[in-house]
Amino acid sequence: MTGTSATGSTTAERTRPQSAVPEADELPRIEDASSVDPRDARALTKVFLDRLSVLEEGTHDYQYVRNTLIEMNLSLVRFVAGRFRARSEQMEDIVQVGTIGLIKAIDRFDLTREVEFTTFAIPYVTGEIKRYFRDTGWAVHVPRRLQELRVELAKATDELSSRLGRSPNVRELAALMNLSEEEIIEAQIASNGYRANSLDMPADDTPRRGRPGSRPWSERIGTTDENLEKVENIHVLERLLPKLEPRERRILRMRFGQEMTQSQIGAELGISQMHVSRLLSRTLARLRAHMLAES
């Protein structure tokens, strides 16, 4: 049985060697961690990570060590973000997203793996930036499966184009990628959702003889929606119909609601088909005049 001292500590605790890691107040106090020389940052990172592994999460010391690690390694994030400099997104946004990956790497790093922190952190930073592009870079929301397939499709298209000396067809792409032709077509359609062009852009920017370019897409694909005018007419009729005589409203309901012929309406009302025609024409003329007056 293990003995216990008067202070309550066990014999094993008293004989266990003390950690060589300095206390938090013995760690270097760095006022501006982001300005630490990269050559010094690697050694300091190892010391701070060692200390972070034994501190209690949420304490003041833990926050100081963790925040210092983040600031010291921001140069690593900028290095990775530089690979994506050609993208249209602001570099500041890319660095901010990459920092999230750095924080995840710090929280998940295990000293027992005996691997350099930079080697461990770079995939986290890169993955977070690529995830950001995947989730926000598309003009239209596309399932992740099709987003990833688009990249593979682009590689396969380049490979076959180089091999065949022409653009490959769907059947050739499907054979190379071991997919069905329907999946290839779906990926090709999804690729169109990555970028959105302005409707003011010319539909064909190749200048032609006698004119600088063609009309913009907004003038070529736009059409008049006739249903919009019908909606307006219905609202006007709602106000006009109650003003008609009861027999006039009945005739309109039988003719246009029940789709009865004029002869059937005449038989129902006990009047001639000619009389029905005159009443219908007069009623429609009145409605048309009122609608034109209100438009």
Side-chain angles (χ1 to χ4, degrees):
M1 181 175 180
T2 305
T4 306
S5 67
T7 58
S9 61
T10 64
T11 304
E13 289 174 339
R14 285 186 282 106
T15 58
R16 187 172 55 207
Q18 296 296 316
S19 172
V21 180
E23 297 295 327
D25 55 3
E26 296 176 4
L27 289 173
R29 286 290 163 175
I30 305 174
E31 297 298 330
D32 185 7
S34 61
S35 64
V36 174
D37 189 289
R39 292 169 296 184
D40 299 329
R42 175 171 296 188
L44 286 171
T45 294
K46 187 175 182 180
V47 173
F48 274 74
L49 283 169
D50 200 4
R51 183 58 188 160
L52 186 70
S53 65
V54 297
L55 286 173
E56 183 180 352
E57 185 174 350
T59 62
H60 174 75
D61 291 340
Y62 181 91
Q63 292 300 328
Y64 163 72
V65 173
R66 185 171 181 263
N67 292 339
T68 303
L69 280 168
I70 295 171
E71 294 178 18
M72 275 197 302
N73 288 278
L74 283 177
S75 59
L76 175 65
V77 177
R78 296 190 187 94
F79 168 75
V80 177
R83 301 176 182 176
F84 304 92
R85 195 175 300 277
R87 303 296 292 254
S88 59
E89 286 78 1
Q90 294 288 333
M91 181 56 60
E92 181 180 348
D93 295 337
I94 299 176
V95 171
Q96 186 174 8
V97 172
T99 304
I100 297 175
L102 172 64
I103 295 172
K104 290 181 178 179
I106 292 172
D107 292 340
R108 299 172 185 177
F109 185 69
D110 185 358
L111 288 168
T112 62
R113 294 182 180 181
E114 298 184 355
V115 63
E116 286 288 340
F117 176 72
T118 53
T119 304
F120 179 81
I122 286 177
Y124 275 89
V125 176
T126 304
E128 202 67 34
I129 293 174
K130 288 184 175 180
R131 189 177 298 110
Y132 166 73
F133 289 141
R134 186 191 68 215
D135 295 340
T136 63
W138 288 72
V140 179
H141 177 70
V142 175
R144 179 176 179 179
R145 175 181 64 85
L146 292 178
Q147 293 180 13
E148 295 173 347
L149 186 56
R150 168 184 172 270
V151 178
E152 299 301 322
L153 180 63
K155 294 178 181 178
T157 301
D158 291 341
E159 179 182 340
L160 284 177
S161 298
S162 176
R163 187 189 308 171
L164 302 173
R166 58 173 174 81
S167 298
N169 56 39
V170 172
R171 179 178 54 80
E172 292 166 338
L173 288 168
L176 178 64
M177 301 178 65
N178 196 27
L179 296 172
S180 66
E181 294 185 12
E182 289 74 15
E183 289 175 308
I184 296 297
I185 294 173
E186 187 180 17
Q188 290 176 333
I189 294 174
S191 298
N192 295 329
Y194 188 73
R195 287 187 177 87
N197 292 326
S198 171
L199 289 175
D200 295 328
M201 186 167 90
D204 178 10
D205 17 33
T206 304
R208 299 183 182 180
R209 181 176 299 178
R211 61 190 181 120
S214 62
R215 293 179 301 161
W217 282 109
S218 58
E219 296 181 10
R220 298 185 58 139
I221 63 176
T223 58
T224 301
D225 190 349
E226 297 179 355
N227 291 323
L228 291 177
E229 186 176 354
K230 290 180 181 179
V231 171
E232 295 178 1
N233 292 338
I234 289 174
H235 284 298
V236 175
L237 284 173
E238 284 179 345
R239 298 194 303 270
L240 296 177
L241 289 176
K243 299 178 182 180
L244 296 176
E245 297 293 332
R247 186 172 69 166
E248 293 175 331
R249 292 200 301 271
R250 186 180 179 188
I251 291 175
L252 289 177
R253 183 169 57 253
M254 288 189 290
R255 180 69 184 92
F256 299 104
Q258 303 174 14
E259 298 184 351
M260 297 172 60
T261 65
Q262 293 182 5
S263 299
Q264 291 171 330
I265 295 173
E268 180 76 19
L269 297 178
I271 57 178
S272 67
Q273 181 267 334
M274 187 65 68
H275 193 188
V276 172
S277 178
R278 286 196 297 267
L279 289 173
L280 191 59
S281 298
R282 185 180 64 187
T283 303
L284 293 176
R286 286 175 56 195
L287 290 175
R288 189 176 296 109
H290 284 294
M291 291 178 68
L292 290 174
E294 294 193 18
S295 62

